[in-house]
Amino acid sequence: MHFIASLNDIRSLTRDLHRRGKIVTLVPTMGALHAGHLSLVRRAKADGGAVIVSIFVNPAQFGPSEDYARYPRNLDRDCEALAPFEPEAVFVPDASEIYPPGFETYVTPGKVAEEFEGSVRPGHFRGVATVVLKLLNLVTPDAAYFGQKDFQQTAVLRRMVADLDIGTRLVICPTVREPDGLALSSRNAYLDPDDRRAAVVLYRSLCCARELFHNGETNADTLVAAVREVVEAERRAEVVYATVVKPDALEPAARVTPGCVALVAARVGPARLIDNMILGPAGASDEELIQLALSSS
Ligand code: PAF
């Protein structure tokens, strides 16, 4: 496992891999790796080729009052967690190389980035799209892996890859959950035990929407009202947004059809948590639901 910090070194490594006819894949992360990230690495490994894992806490995707400074960082632990997967390289660039003095060119995503996370975190998706494009340019991977947990991020990146004719295939992998259903997130570390217990309400609210949908309810307002009601019943949680949207442009879905996605964000104690669920036939696997959402685009 190479440990690479310099942009020139990652370029020459991936150029060499391509020259040798290898498939190259990328798992972009901000570190603080948990089982969700490791599931992306496992999937990339299973798909074959040389896996590059990037670890970069991207300042451009944090607002001025957000948690950039205190975002959890533990490179030694991350490398230990990655070692059993034997990635080809861990790429840990420095912010001064990614954003050198004079840097002023950004990717501005369109409508898909405006609402939900985009309106709560102005500039966030501009930062995400910019750094992901830079990573794709540096690594030139055949495929890059992202978690369904950040559903809007996957929609923004799918749009960018299509609009800018980027040759990398994006692979979306199912959300990994704690046994009680809470979606894994590096920000769960901010929760105290009581908030942690309360945080499962996001998953429970989505399960409620799913159950209504399985029972034939296709009115989005009814599903959204149910999500809100479940979250609001938990006094430690406060809804930031709840919606059911079409999976590509994230436009409102008046009538909910298979492949539509329920999105919820709530503040629980000091953390703002997000989760989502793709609605589809009862019994469909997470993978099948992702394929359904991607093909309903
Ligand atoms: O999902 C994340 O961890 C980040 O947004 C990403 C894609 C690594 C870009 O910084």
Side-chain angles (χ1 to χ4, degrees):
M1 173 166 108
H2 303 275
F3 184 89
I4 294 182
S6 114
L7 273 47
N8 278 337
D9 290 351
I10 194 73
R11 269 199 209 95
S12 35
L13 174 77
T14 53
R15 231 179 259 143
D16 183 54
L17 288 166
H18 282 305
R19 209 175 293 131
R20 285 161 40 210
K22 296 243 181 188
I23 300 275
V24 176
T25 59
L26 172 68
V27 181
T29 80
M30 297 207 300
L33 301 181
H34 52 61
H37 299 108
L38 299 179
S39 76
L40 305 180
V41 180
R42 188 175 300 112
R43 171 72 184 276
K45 271 305 263 196
D47 287 353
V51 179
I52 315 283
V53 179
S54 65
I55 298 181
F56 178 62
V57 184
N58 173 31
Q61 68 188 77
F62 289 80
S65 59
E66 290 186 352
D67 54 349
Y68 175 67
R70 69 188 177 108
Y71 194 83
R73 292 162 170 86
N74 194 330
L75 193 52
D76 289 344
R77 206 163 45 205
D78 289 345
C79 287
E80 253 170 54
L82 289 171
F85 296 92
E86 300 179 342
E88 183 73 26
V90 183
F91 175 43
V92 188
D94 198 81
S96 61
E97 259 213 288
I98 294 287
Y99 301 113
F103 181 93
E104 62 172 11
T105 305
Y106 291 85
V107 178
T108 306
K111 278 221 300 283
V112 65
E114 273 170 17
E115 284 196 70
F116 318 123
E117 289 307 289
S119 65
V120 181
R121 307 183 66 188
H124 170 67
F125 287 122
R126 175 186 191 251
V128 170
T130 302
V131 82
V132 170
L133 181 61
K134 285 177 69 85
L135 291 169
L136 296 180
N137 283 338
L138 288 164
V139 176
T140 59
D142 297 282
Y145 294 73
F146 298 89
Q148 181 197 329
K149 153 87 178 10
D150 295 299
F151 193 85
Q152 189 174 13
Q153 170 170 281
T154 70
V156 168
L157 296 177
R158 280 185 284 134
R159 187 73 261 158
M160 176 181 83
V161 162
D163 288 348
L164 301 184
D165 307 310
I166 296 166
T168 301
R169 185 169 56 90
L170 300 191
V171 181
I172 314 303
C173 301
T175 302
V176 177
R177 298 182 181 279
E178 299 279 9
D180 67 355
L182 176 68
L184 295 194
S185 161
S186 307
R187 290 193 169 95
N188 292 351
Y190 301 154
L191 301 169
D192 72 19
D194 288 335
D195 290 332
R196 166 62 191 86
R197 269 188 293 278
V200 72
V201 77
L202 278 84
Y203 176 66
R204 286 209 343 258
S205 73
L206 294 168
C207 290
C208 180
R210 177 175 65 187
E211 195 180 327
L212 286 170
F213 182 70
H214 287 166
N215 290 335
E217 181 59 69
T218 59
N219 184 310
D221 291 343
T222 309
L223 299 191
V224 169
V227 168
R228 283 186 169 276
E229 197 180 313
V230 173
V231 178
E232 277 159 11
E234 169 52 66
R235 66 178 177 80
R236 288 177 174 272
E238 188 194 334
V239 179
V240 180
Y241 60 78
T243 188
V244 179
V245 290
K246 296 180 189 159
D248 48 350
L250 307 190
E251 285 156 345
R255 290 215 84 62
V256 183
T257 51
C260 283
V261 191
L263 305 175
V264 64
R267 219 173 293 283
V268 182
R272 201 178 58 76
L273 303 177
I274 60 174
D275 202 350
N276 68 81
M277 197 171 276
I278 301 169
L279 302 170
S285 69
D286 291 341
E287 284 288 352
E288 286 165 341
L289 291 170
I290 289 172
Q291 289 321 313
L292 184 62
L294 297 184
S295 62
S296 346
S297 301

